[in-house]
Amino acid sequence: MAKQDIALMAHLMRRAGFGATREELEALVEKGYEQTVEELLNTEAQPALDRYELVRYHPWTWKPGTLPGMGSVEWLWFMVNTKRPLEEKMTLFWHHLFATGVSKVDHYDEITMMVAEFREKGMGSYKDLLMSMAQNPAMIYWLDNCENHAHAVNENWGRELLELFSMGVGNYTEVDVREVSRAFTGWTIEPKLPRGPIGRHDWHFTYQEDDHDHGEKTFLGETGNFDGKDVIDIICAHPATASFIARHLYNFFVADEAQVPAWAVTPPQDQDAIDTLADALVESNYDIRSTLRVLFNSEFFKNARFARLKSPAEVVVGTLKLVGGFEFPAPGIGEMSRQPNYMGQDLLNPPSVEGWHTGTEWINSGSLMRRINFTADMVGDTGRPGVKSMIDHLKADNSISPGAFVDSCLELMGPLEVNKETRQELVDHAQINGDLNWGNESETSSERVSEMLQLIVSLRDYQYA
Amino acid sequence: MASTKKDPVIVVLQLTGGNDYLNTVIPYNDPHYRDNRPAVGVAEDRILKINDNVGFHPEMAPMQRLYDQGKVAIINGVGYANSPRSHFRSMDIWHTCEPDKLGTEGWLGRVTKDLDPNKENVVTTVSFGPSLPRALALPGVPVACVDDLDTFGMLPTISETDQRNKILDRFTRLYSPTIGSGFVMDYLGQTGLDSLKAADILKVAPAKYNSTIEYPDTTLARKLRGIAQVHMADLGTRILYCDHGSFDSHSNQVGMHDKLWHDVSSAVESFFDDLRENNAGENVIMLLFSEFGRRVHDNGSGTDHGAAGAAFVIGEGVKGGEYGEYPSTNTEDLEQGDLVPNTDFRSVYTTIAENWMGLDANPLVGGTFEKPSFV
């Protein structure tokens, strides 16, 4: 099997999912790249996960309310076990984009429901999703549209809709913000019922006609008696929207871009790629599946191996999938779901409506140590099925030279590509104990493999996706 | 690294979950207290009276001893207007000083930056706990997050000393600027070496530590002992942070609240005993706060989310006593059944920032506030 094919397939699976094991990669290469892209896109051909499977073992994951740290257990279980990796990756994408958090929304339940909505609709039309978000109770509360009244306009949702969810700064005026906000007056939530004896009541969207501003509005040069739906139509007809979503897709799936607030002043690193994706969005009437097909089959995607840093969710889920043994919702899943938070990504609680800053901003001295120690702890456990399987691979040869030992480990851990100085350091390290032999040295050799894997995950190179 | 003069140090102990103010500093002479607390009220003969009006919860005997020595300031009625009664939101407001909009910068992150603008000391601020509290978060400001000082460092799973040294040497070489190039690789390299440095600095703390004080065997006591170790190692650490909880006593409050305050009081007393024994207490104050107090009337088993609470500031440099008025418990004075805050939480921060740390508080807490004179 050609080494380059495996490397490319590993790249695809890291980006369109949360990585794949060596065995999975080999099977996918047999199938071919384009076919694999189609299977990833065709999410509904695979069975959906049943959340009740999890609830059966961990009833407290059902509407965990305000229990700190409990919110992302269900999501972690989905990310690790899904048979539809791209669907789950897009769910994460939309959570980055429509960043909504418990720091303001009182409890996890409504945001978990928002995440379920991303899962259900995230591969379809962006325009439909935008409409769903405009009516999503958590979003309405998060951005104060419940305080946006016909006679007292609150611009929070209207502004973020334009600035962060669709067009980006620089494509509209302050008057437009005002007019958009007017169009969404009366889009609110039903009064929240007090907590019942067995928990909370869900929140519900409602349209209050008597609190809607029925007057004429002018938005981006068009005038009419607009409501929110008309505004979304106008937004989606504007080319800035397709470019803005394209740049988000590029930053999430292809290569690290500048942080969102800098986009108005910093051009994209690959304008042609953004244009290609924006065209795909427009031509498909904002169909995400069609756009992702273009993205994954493009040369700019295939050439972008290791061009971004992993998000904490990618670090944790990727590692759990690599070492295996986390499929069953075993005790301890709660602690696992907090790991991304320890690395700086508290799922369901982004730092602000702007979402997380990505790329190097994930990394500080504390978070880097967390990443390394968590991953090293996992790959250092020779009892885990994925680690065992890597050791078995190495056992195919009775005796392995330090150079071949390092190369095989790098191959099994990715394949991971490192520069030659780094490789030399690893070889020097392996050299300390000479050739890797099996037979009666089996136990020591397994420990040596475990140590080499730990050293590999502590490399800077391993932080790249 | 070690400073010659003793710089002021602040320890924060966050009481997560919403501590029940009324059962912590109990207005025992107030008839409304009994009326409102049929289920969770503390019997009068158990209350540790500190003056004619209020007394501590019965499990706070160690706090009472510190109070009697004049080392505890009780700040009454702390909070802010329009309390949202949500754990997450309220905690966020305390952390960012932004009651009206979502803030991303922690107030202690700003303090850290003021103290060490050139990032000369990677352990200026140390947090005991797995994740970074938003109070300490500020892009570009390093904070060491420690779970356990004894195992803190890179690759703790490789425990055999000789092997570990070899691996860490290798790590240093792999992260050196001579390998790899480009902004991201350089940034990762520098950050990795900073992490190692923080671990190297902090690992001397347990070894240098020498104390006869026996802390209780609790999670919080272990954190405070770690804080004492870091402080006494003279590493230039100025801010130390930890939390304890959950104080969210909606049901079965009585046993739960007893245990919480037993653990907090005993650990805090051991901590200050430890500092005193080592002559290291005069430049340390500790702030205890919770994101909100709880509802005045109990719910038959516990208490629901409320508004005003109490903060405590403890230390040798503290002027002990009560600060501010206990909010009125008259039914007509309550808001949605809750005590109305009469001291802004940013006032407490202002006193700490200006009178203790010697900084200009306004940009740190986002405005000018009264400055109760507890230090």
Side-chain angles (χ1 to χ4, degrees):
Chain A
M1 193 161 286
K3 213 175 153 175
Q4 279 309 306
D5 292 343
I6 287 280
L8 183 60
M9 192 58 77
H11 169 62
L12 176 65
M13 296 310 290
R14 275 196 304 275
R15 301 296 178 84
F18 296 92
T21 64
R22 182 74 188 188
E23 287 72 20
E24 288 165 337
L25 290 176
E26 286 176 3
L28 292 171
V29 168
E30 289 290 334
K31 235 176 231 176
Y33 185 88
E34 276 181 43
Q35 179 60 28
T36 302
V37 170
E38 287 309 310
E39 289 185 7
L40 285 164
L41 291 170
N42 194 6
T43 46
E44 279 156 28
Q46 299 297 327
L49 279 189
D50 176 6
R51 72 185 293 200
Y52 298 100
E53 181 92 4
L54 176 67
V55 172
R56 191 177 308 150
Y57 296 102
H58 299 281
W60 44 271
T61 63
W62 175 257
K63 296 190 190 292
T66 60
L67 290 171
M70 292 297 171
S72 50
V73 173
E74 177 183 298
W75 199 0
L76 179 92
W77 185 72
F78 265 87
M79 288 193 273
V80 171
N81 292 292
T82 181
K83 300 281 183 284
R84 303 169 170 184
L86 184 53
E87 176 182 275
E88 215 52 47
K89 207 62 184 279
M90 275 313 288
T91 304
L92 187 59
F93 171 85
W94 293 120
H95 182 53
H96 277 231
L97 189 102
F98 293 111
T100 303
V102 289
S103 59
K104 178 165 170 183
V105 179
D106 298 349
H107 54 99
Y108 289 117
D109 310 352
E110 294 298 329
I111 305 179
T112 302
M113 288 164 75
M114 186 193 262
V115 168
E117 205 163 351
F118 294 149
R119 192 174 288 127
E120 185 192 328
K121 301 176 180 168
M123 295 292 292
S125 156
Y126 158 75
K127 198 169 160 181
D128 291 351
L129 190 62
L130 196 54
M131 190 64 188
S132 299
M133 286 303 112
Q135 301 184 342
N136 181 285
M139 180 62 84
I140 286 170
Y141 185 75
W142 170 243
L143 294 181
D144 302 318
N145 212 54
C146 42
E147 304 293 335
N148 185 17
H149 305 291
H151 299 291
V153 173
N154 183 308
E155 297 180 354
N156 199 4
W157 156 257
R159 178 178 304 279
E160 304 306 2
L161 168 64
L162 299 179
E163 179 178 330
L164 295 172
F165 303 155
S166 65
M167 302 176 72
V169 171
N171 296 296
Y172 50 86
T173 65
E174 282 300 304
V175 176
D176 286 323
V177 171
R178 186 82 185 168
E179 297 292 277
V180 163
S181 304
R182 288 178 58 215
F184 281 99
T185 46
W187 291 44
T188 187
I189 46 179
E190 288 175 7
K192 290 188 268 175
L193 293 171
R195 194 186 172 94
I198 51 159
R200 285 167 191 279
H201 298 274
D202 292 344
W203 300 352
H204 297 284
F205 170 76
T206 182
Y207 172 64
Q208 286 183 352
E209 187 156 16
D210 56 355
D211 197 19
H212 180 71
D213 178 344
H214 292 275
E216 198 164 77
K217 296 127 197 146
T218 299
F219 173 49
L220 294 176
E222 295 189 43
T223 301
N225 176 13
F226 299 141
D227 74 356
K229 186 174 178 310
D230 303 313
V231 161
I232 286 175
D233 285 342
I234 297 170
I235 286 173
C236 288
H238 195 287
T241 300
S243 291
F244 187 78
I245 300 302
R247 196 164 179 183
H248 264 292
L249 288 168
Y250 186 91
N251 182 52
F252 189 84
F253 284 106
V254 184
D256 282 326
E257 281 278 284
Q259 306 303 330
V260 178
W263 286 5
V265 290
T266 314
Q269 58 193 293
D270 185 349
Q271 184 69 53
D272 290 346
I274 304 298
D275 292 345
T276 304
L277 294 173
D279 288 347
L281 282 165
V282 171
E283 280 160 24
S284 66
N285 197 20
Y286 287 103
D287 180 48
I288 294 300
R289 195 173 264 112
S290 314
T291 308
L292 289 175
R293 177 176 292 114
V294 171
L295 189 155
F296 292 128
N297 285 312
S298 72
E299 288 307 307
F300 63 75
F301 173 76
K302 292 178 187 173
N303 292 330
R305 289 214 298 263
F306 304 111
R308 33 180 306 275
L309 293 177
K310 290 171 190 164
S311 66
E314 289 175 306
V315 171
V316 173
V317 180
T319 303
L320 297 183
K321 286 179 69 78
L322 180 77
V323 301
F326 290 94
E327 297 75 19
F328 178 75
I333 190 168
E335 186 51 26
M336 285 302 155
S337 72
R338 293 173 203 220
Q339 292 292 334
N341 176 21
Y342 299 162
M343 300 171 196
Q345 188 176 26
D346 191 9
L347 292 170
L348 313 189
N349 194 21
S352 76
V353 62
E354 215 179 80
W356 288 278
H357 284 194
T358 54
T360 50
E361 290 207 23
W362 288 122
I363 307 291
N364 60 50
S365 53
S367 70
L368 181 61
M369 193 186 282
R370 284 275 163 195
R371 283 173 176 241
I372 292 173
N373 288 350
F374 171 78
T375 328
D377 187 24
M378 290 291 149
V379 300
D381 182 353
T382 51
R384 298 234 156 253
V387 180
K388 227 163 148 284
S389 148
M390 286 189 243
I391 293 173
D392 288 343
H393 261 278
L394 291 164
K395 280 184 178 167
D397 292 311
N398 273 331
S399 177
I400 313 167
S401 71
F405 170 33
V406 167
D407 291 340
S408 298
C409 287
L410 289 170
E411 184 72 15
L412 293 168
M413 289 297 288
L416 193 64
E417 291 155 28
V418 302
N419 57 44
K420 71 175 195 307
E421 293 89 349
T422 298
R423 179 181 174 276
Q424 192 55 51
E425 286 290 338
L426 297 176
V427 174
D428 290 350
H429 191 76
Q431 196 83 56
I432 298 172
N433 293 304
D435 289 355
L436 188 74
N437 298 311
W438 301 104
N440 54 12
E441 287 176 36
S442 208
E443 204 172 312
T444 331
S445 293
S446 293
E447 286 307 314
R448 285 183 64 194
V449 175
S450 148
E451 191 181 290
M452 181 57 68
L453 298 181
Q454 293 186 66
L455 199 51
I456 288 172
V457 298
S458 73
L459 295 175
R460 284 176 279 177
D461 313 70
Y462 193 74
Q463 300 307 327
Y464 292 81
Chain B
M1 191 59 58
S3 54
T4 45
K5 72 174 189 339
K6 287 198 165 184
D7 289 324
V9 170
I10 167 89
V11 176
V12 179
L13 167 50
Q14 170 181 306
L15 310 176
T16 306
N19 174 51
D20 185 17
Y21 174 24
L22 272 171
N23 270 15
T24 305
V25 181
I26 306 170
Y28 65 88
N29 266 337
D30 180 347
H32 296 120
Y33 176 72
R34 278 296 136 221
D35 296 347
N36 278 300
R37 294 298 173 104
V40 307
V42 178
E44 180 157 356
D45 57 351
R46 295 184 61 224
I47 295 171
L48 308 174
K49 295 166 188 165
I50 57 171
N51 58 37
D52 291 341
N53 301 312
V54 296
F56 283 133
H57 183 280
E59 291 293 344
M60 292 170 74
M63 289 281 276
Q64 189 186 22
R65 286 194 283 274
L66 288 164
Y67 186 86
D68 289 344
Q69 296 161 25
K71 292 179 186 167
V72 178
I74 301 166
I75 299 111
N76 280 306
V78 180
Y80 45 87
N82 305 315
S83 174
R85 297 170 177 78
S86 146
H87 292 294
F88 301 110
R89 181 68 195 129
S90 299
M91 195 57 94
D92 218 53
I93 291 170
W94 274 88
H95 282 182
T96 62
C97 296
E98 294 279 11
D100 303 316
K101 66 182 174 81
L102 211 59
T104 53
E105 291 185 354
W107 81 282
L108 287 170
R110 294 192 284 261
V111 173
T112 307
K113 199 173 179 182
D114 259 19
L115 294 172
D116 183 17
N118 300 320
K119 291 189 268 177
E120 284 159 16
N121 186 354
V122 291
V123 297
T124 297
T125 298
V126 178
S127 175
F128 278 75
S131 56
L132 184 69
R134 203 167 278 180
L136 305 177
L138 186 66
V141 171
V143 175
C145 292
V146 181
D147 260 347
D148 178 352
L149 268 185
D150 295 322
T151 56
F152 182 68
M154 217 49 110
L155 301 169
T157 45
I158 297 171
S159 52
E160 199 273 309
T161 313
D162 186 41
Q163 203 56 19
R164 183 172 167 73
N165 289 340
K166 278 185 198 157
I167 284 272
L168 293 183
D169 277 351
R170 191 67 61 187
F171 182 94
T172 308
R173 295 168 64 96
L174 284 161
Y175 272 66
S176 79
T178 56
I179 291 188
S181 62
F183 168 75
V184 180
M185 277 302 263
D186 290 348
Y187 176 77
L188 286 170
Q190 187 54 51
T191 310
L193 296 177
D194 276 356
S195 302
L196 274 190
K197 197 162 126 199
D200 272 350
I201 294 170
L202 289 175
K203 82 174 172 211
V204 308
K208 279 176 88 171
Y209 177 73
N210 187 4
S211 172
T212 64
I213 302 298
E214 284 200 26
Y215 283 74
D217 183 18
T218 61
T219 318
L220 177 61
R222 274 188 289 278
K223 288 181 191 172
L224 287 179
R225 185 163 163 271
I227 287 176
Q229 290 176 337
V230 171
H231 169 63
M232 292 195 272
D234 273 333
L235 307 172
T237 301
R238 305 286 302 281
I239 300 173
L240 293 126
Y241 204 99
C242 68
D243 76 335
H244 188 64
S246 166
F247 283 78
D248 197 14
S249 51
H250 287 282
S251 55
N252 303 314
Q253 173 168 321
V254 173
M256 175 182 175
H257 206 236
D258 286 3
K259 167 96 170 87
L260 286 162
W261 273 104
H262 177 83
D263 288 358
V264 170
S265 305
S266 57
V268 166
E269 186 180 46
S270 295
F271 175 77
F272 281 102
D273 285 350
D274 199 1
L275 297 195
R276 193 175 50 234
E277 179 185 294
N278 287 279
N279 199 18
E282 71 188 42
N283 63 328
V284 177
I285 59 168
M286 179 187 279
L287 165 68
L288 284 78
F289 80 94
S290 190
E291 70 267 39
F292 47 61
R294 305 193 75 84
R295 187 129 311 152
V296 173
H297 203 290
D298 70 41
N299 64 18
S301 166
T303 48
D304 296 316
H305 299 182
F312 301 90
V313 181
I314 309 172
E316 285 176 30
V318 170
K319 292 177 215 152
E322 275 192 275
Y323 292 81
E325 294 289 311
Y326 209 107
S328 164
T329 55
N330 294 332
T331 313
E332 65 274 18
D333 293 333
L334 304 179
E335 262 178 26
Q336 300 178 46
D338 296 331
L339 298 176
V340 178
N342 51 20
T343 298
D344 193 287
F345 70 104
R346 289 163 291 186
S347 290
V348 181
Y349 291 175
T350 299
T351 302
I352 291 171
E354 297 204 340
N355 294 11
W356 185 249
M357 304 300 276
L359 305 170
D360 178 12
N362 185 305
L364 301 170
V365 307
T368 302
F369 295 88
E370 278 184 53
K371 212 163 61 167
S373 56
F374 53 82
V375 284

